[in-house]
Amino acid sequence: MKFIDEFRDQALVKDLARRLGALAEGPATIMEVCGTHTMAAARFALKTILPPSVELISGPGCPVCVTAQSDLDAFLALGTEPQVVLVSFGDMLRVPGTHTSLEGLRAQGAAVRVVYSPLDAVELARQTPDKHLGFFGVGFETTMPATALAIQTAAAYGLDNFSVWCVHKTMPAALKALLAGGEARVSGLLCPGHVTTIIGTAAYDFIPAEFGLPCAVTGFEPVDMLLGIESILRQIKEGKACVDNVYTRAVSVPANPRARELLAAVFAPDDASWRGLGVIPGSGVKIRDSYARFDARARFPQVWERLTPPPPSPCRCGEILRGVMRPVECPLFAKGCTPAQPLGPCMVSTEGACAAAYRYER
Amino acid sequence: MKRILLSHGAGGREMTALIDEVFLARYGDPNRVGDDSATVLLGSHRLAFTTDSFVVDPLFFPGGDIGRLAVAGTVNDLLTAAARPLVLSASFIMEEGLEISVLQAIAESMRVTAAEAGVAIVTGDTKVVPKGAADKVFITTAGVGLVLLPGVSGAAARPRDEIILTGSVGDHGTAVLLAREKLLDGEAIMSDAAPLTGLVMNLLEEGCEIHAMRDPTRGGIAAALNEIARQSQVAMEIIEARVPVAPAVAAACEALGLDVFQVANEGKMLIIVAPKDAAKALFIIRRSPYGEAARVIGRVLDAPPGRVTVKTVIGTARLLDPPSGDLLPRIC
């Protein structure tokens, strides 16, 4: 595959690994912000070729994982409303809510559909005018434009039976909260390539400016990730910090203006609740009033009102997402919590740090 | 576990647990080995016996249909016991309203596939359920075969054996998924559904020392290799770069976030062979039209028991874990 095979080249990887060895001085903890990075690192066992002093830890970049328990519970409760069909990406299906999961709800007879694109949910709404299609809008800036487009498409069709339970989140505000918290000790960040194609590299400028930490925006193949790590180690060695873009084949400056216009037209900034991080001001979006009839929260206020806060759970996903605990350090890892019987989203999602460690690193 | 979930049908951990807790706990043979076919001694003959149900959606997909799957699937399960497939049964659960022409097309496909596989379909059954109580048609086939080489079993792999894969992986699952979800239009991905009688009979007739065979259907080669490693209490190492994957399948799996090693195949066989016969077996397999792309993809190691690792394309080593959960229901 073009643009993939070249970035999995064994000789190139070996050469980069050697260069990292020469650059690494003191201990360095590098956070890979994005869940896709977490999975790629595990799938290619990248940690086994890094210099021993360099550690790679996962951050809050798995959208399924950071979805708050209360938001998931609310969406599950939406499924008990008459005529409602729940529509979700497949990743969310097995994440345990307080009482059940989407998969469990479906087994009890609720209508749950899995789609690959929010536009499929709009199409389902057109085909079944007697049902209400409720889409779970989960994800960062990469998936947000697709949800925005789905809402605009539904508006263009004049549909009244489609809405979005919007829990979309924006990455920079969460990173700011995480770093300001000071809990996670990191020496640099690998920033998410795909998110950056939408928001641009300037969105991370505050990280070197306010926290003095080097950043590298990078892609998801082994060579991409090693180039990103090399950039961070070089910045550390030279005693400087900036946002370096090593994913130039995808991330251009300025970033995608059409996607940003689309987002601005449909969404307005809002606070968002994150698993493990709590409510972070300005880290989410809400659907603008002009599209209020596609906002499931506005359409079904009773669902939100009758919800009780989730009881305490033994799940430690919050600490994993903050980068203060490694998956194998969790007392539940591979014991009480496995992909077959997950206690938390980090063990379920294909981008979850625990799922990656369970699948590839045990 | 209070209700059946789709995950229970996916060929992964959940299915194994369900079978253990519900069925084997009640009527399982304590000496069972857990292969795709049971074998029973009848006089001086050892017979292989197996059954399989097919619920694929859509009924017709590029490269095959439910009828071809129903015959090939059961034939290939008999072959894993080194048995010559002899006879099949075929039972149909049909939804009220199913077009007879659809059923005729399926039956014709079964005739053609059975002829290719060298088996006779000798008995069957039909049931009709009210509209909505089933989806169009479900087929169950059972098959009997004559074991030609006793002892071939998932529990018989030995350290230093070579692991042969008869062709590319991921074709069937990807083809069905794309056809059902109408994704990536224009990608020419065909199911590999095929009976492998000719390929396996050639190996047996020429006296190759085969220890184990498994058709990597649900759960892909990841599930099949883990099963054999666990049954035989051996470790395995496969070389990622040696596993053939069609470029369109690789691209589709990348785009959809699927692990191609976990995607179903319906016309492939994993063959664990004694090292002395590996080259000979590969040569014989490649003579078959379904084995032209066969490769040695790895080997069996002593320890740790049950552990399967992959040497990745960048030269590192990682675990090859069996799949869990199910994002691809009704693939076969």
Side-chain angles (χ1 to χ4, degrees):
Chain A
M1 262 174 296
K2 206 163 156 48
F3 298 122
I4 288 192
D5 292 339
E6 305 92 309
F7 294 87
R8 294 179 182 173
D9 183 82
Q10 192 171 146
L12 209 52
V13 165
K14 283 207 171 120
D15 186 45
L16 274 165
R18 256 196 308 275
R19 275 154 60 184
L20 295 184
L23 271 175
E25 289 174 336
T29 303
I30 298 173
M31 175 176 276
E32 87 271 359
V33 172
C34 179
T36 311
H37 279 148
T38 302
M39 215 20 129
R43 178 176 165 197
F44 290 100
L46 276 189
K47 291 174 193 174
T48 63
I49 54 168
L50 295 182
S53 63
V54 176
E55 190 191 10
L56 210 52
I57 63 165
S58 303
C62 159
V64 168
C65 304
V66 296
T67 298
Q69 190 79 5
S70 53
D71 284 331
L72 174 58
D73 285 345
F75 185 66
L76 290 164
L78 180 64
T80 59
E81 290 291 307
Q83 305 309 318
V84 168
V85 178
L86 298 181
V87 187
S88 169
F89 294 130
D91 257 25
M92 209 70 210
L93 213 60
R94 307 182 64 239
V95 177
T98 299
H99 303 293
T100 183
S101 62
L102 283 169
E103 188 185 43
L105 205 63
R106 184 169 65 186
Q108 289 164 37
V112 177
R113 297 289 295 262
V114 172
V115 292
Y116 284 92
S117 158
L119 283 169
D120 295 342
V122 176
E123 195 50 41
L124 286 171
R126 290 184 66 202
Q127 290 164 10
T128 51
D130 55 327
K131 303 278 185 203
H132 185 97
L133 281 292
F135 177 71
F136 203 15
V138 173
F140 297 110
E141 290 89 339
T142 28
T143 40
M144 251 188 249
T147 303
L149 191 63
I151 288 175
Q152 287 195 336
T153 307
Y157 283 132
L159 294 182
D160 196 38
N161 65 331
F162 169 79
S163 64
V164 176
W165 197 273
C166 177
V167 299
H168 282 297
K169 294 179 173 55
T170 54
M171 190 51 91
L175 288 178
K176 194 166 205 165
L178 184 76
L179 296 172
E183 225 184 347
R185 288 194 184 82
V186 298
S187 343
L189 291 96
L190 282 182
C191 295
H194 292 161
V195 164
T196 314
T197 61
I198 309 289
I199 64 174
T201 57
Y204 311 109
D205 284 346
F206 72 91
I207 300 175
E210 290 176 33
F211 300 97
L213 293 174
C215 293
V217 174
T218 191
F220 304 91
E221 298 303 326
V223 168
D224 291 317
M225 292 189 64
L226 294 173
L227 283 171
I229 294 167
E230 186 194 26
S231 165
I232 290 170
L233 293 180
R234 174 160 290 127
Q235 291 184 51
I236 293 173
K237 186 171 181 165
E238 293 171 358
K240 64 179 195 182
C242 67
V243 180
D244 189 14
N245 176 15
V246 301
Y247 197 31
T248 47
R249 73 180 183 282
V251 176
S252 49
V253 181
N256 190 330
R258 255 194 87 195
R260 296 173 78 168
E261 275 169 33
L262 187 61
L263 293 180
V266 176
F267 298 121
D270 195 10
D271 301 346
S273 177
W274 295 60
R275 187 186 297 263
L277 296 168
V279 175
I280 304 175
S283 70
V285 293
K286 62 178 177 195
I287 296 169
R288 286 191 186 277
D289 289 345
S290 47
Y291 291 102
R293 70 192 167 103
F294 302 107
D295 185 349
R297 283 173 206 262
R299 293 281 298 257
F300 301 93
Q302 68 276 21
V303 169
W304 198 248
E305 282 158 15
R306 66 166 182 254
L307 213 64
T308 49
S313 150
C315 174
R316 309 277 289 266
C317 283
E319 288 154 82
I320 303 282
L321 294 166
R322 294 200 300 274
V324 297
M325 187 165 68
R326 317 285 179 266
V328 293
E329 293 165 3
C330 176
L332 299 165
F333 181 78
K335 297 185 184 80
C337 184
T338 64
Q341 302 255 297
L343 288 177
C346 296
M347 189 54 99
V348 186
S349 169
T350 52
E351 297 187 352
C354 299
Y358 189 93
R359 276 178 67 179
Y360 297 130
E361 295 176 352
R362 274 180 303 146
Chain B
M1 189 158 69
K2 292 212 180 69
R3 286 173 192 268
I4 291 291
L5 306 176
L6 282 172
S7 315
H8 288 123
R13 291 194 183 89
E14 294 87 341
M15 187 184 83
T16 310
L18 181 80
I19 292 172
D20 286 347
E21 289 165 27
V22 176
F23 302 116
L24 294 180
R26 289 177 172 77
Y27 53 68
D29 172 358
N31 300 317
R32 72 186 172 271
V33 281
D35 285 327
D36 286 351
S37 281
T39 67
V40 285
L41 207 53
L42 197 74
S44 58
H45 297 297
R46 185 166 279 279
L47 296 181
F49 181 40
T50 190
T51 184
D52 211 337
S53 295
F54 297 85
V55 299
V56 67
D57 171 36
L59 296 175
F60 299 85
F61 44 83
D65 57 80
I66 191 172
R68 184 168 177 79
L69 273 187
V71 172
T74 292
V75 162
N76 292 343
D77 280 351
L78 290 172
L79 292 171
T80 62
R84 176 186 292 283
L86 300 174
V87 290
L88 300 188
S89 73
S91 297
F92 298 78
I93 296 174
M94 293 168 286
E95 184 189 19
E96 178 187 22
L98 177 73
E99 289 142 14
I100 302 282
S101 62
V102 168
L103 200 59
Q104 284 170 333
I106 292 168
E108 176 60 18
S109 172
M110 293 175 76
R111 180 190 70 79
V112 170
T113 312
E116 186 187 350
V119 289
I121 304 173
V122 295
T123 186
D125 182 47
T126 54
K127 294 281 189 299
V128 179
V129 296
K131 194 154 189 69
D135 187 11
K136 297 191 247 334
V137 58
F138 298 151
I139 303 177
T140 299
T141 50
V144 175
L146 180 65
V147 175
L148 302 180
L149 181 63
V152 173
S153 160
R158 298 177 204 165
R160 282 166 297 287
D161 282 354
E162 304 268 2
I163 304 167
I164 297 174
L165 173 66
T166 59
S168 62
V169 294
D171 303 76
H172 175 75
T174 317
V176 173
L177 180 72
L178 296 189
R180 180 166 66 216
E181 306 293 336
K182 300 182 179 65
L183 294 167
L184 306 180
D185 259 0
E187 286 289 351
I189 297 177
M190 308 272 279
S191 165
D192 58 347
L196 300 175
T197 312
L199 185 154
V200 173
M201 285 304 118
N202 286 347
L203 280 177
L204 296 174
E205 280 159 13
E206 301 207 29
C208 290
E209 190 184 326
I210 295 166
H211 292 157
M213 285 189 274
R214 188 136 305 177
D215 55 334
T217 54
R218 275 177 305 180
I221 60 170
L225 290 170
N226 273 283
E227 279 168 24
I228 298 172
R230 195 183 57 238
Q231 281 180 276
S232 297
Q233 288 296 295
V234 292
M236 291 179 172
E237 183 194 58
I238 68 162
I239 315 292
E240 186 174 25
R242 287 202 198 155
V243 179
V245 183
V249 172
C253 288
E254 282 292 336
L256 298 171
L258 300 174
D259 179 348
V260 73
F261 291 169
Q262 298 187 347
V263 177
N265 312 279
E266 291 290 343
K268 297 291 154 32
M269 196 66 85
L270 283 162
I271 300 171
I272 317 285
V273 60
K276 69 175 175 62
D277 280 350
K280 177 179 160 191
L282 194 61
F283 179 76
I284 295 167
I285 291 165
R286 284 184 172 164
R287 284 200 325 239
S288 157
Y290 297 126
E292 284 168 2
R295 304 280 292 271
V296 171
I297 61 161
R299 63 205 170 106
V300 181
L301 308 169
D302 287 293
R307 188 177 174 88
V308 184
T309 51
V310 184
K311 192 159 181 244
T312 70
V313 289
I314 65 164
T316 53
R318 64 149 164 101
L319 199 64
L320 180 69
D321 196 46
S324 190
D326 188 9
L327 295 178
L328 301 179
R330 297 187 62 187
I331 220 82
C332 60

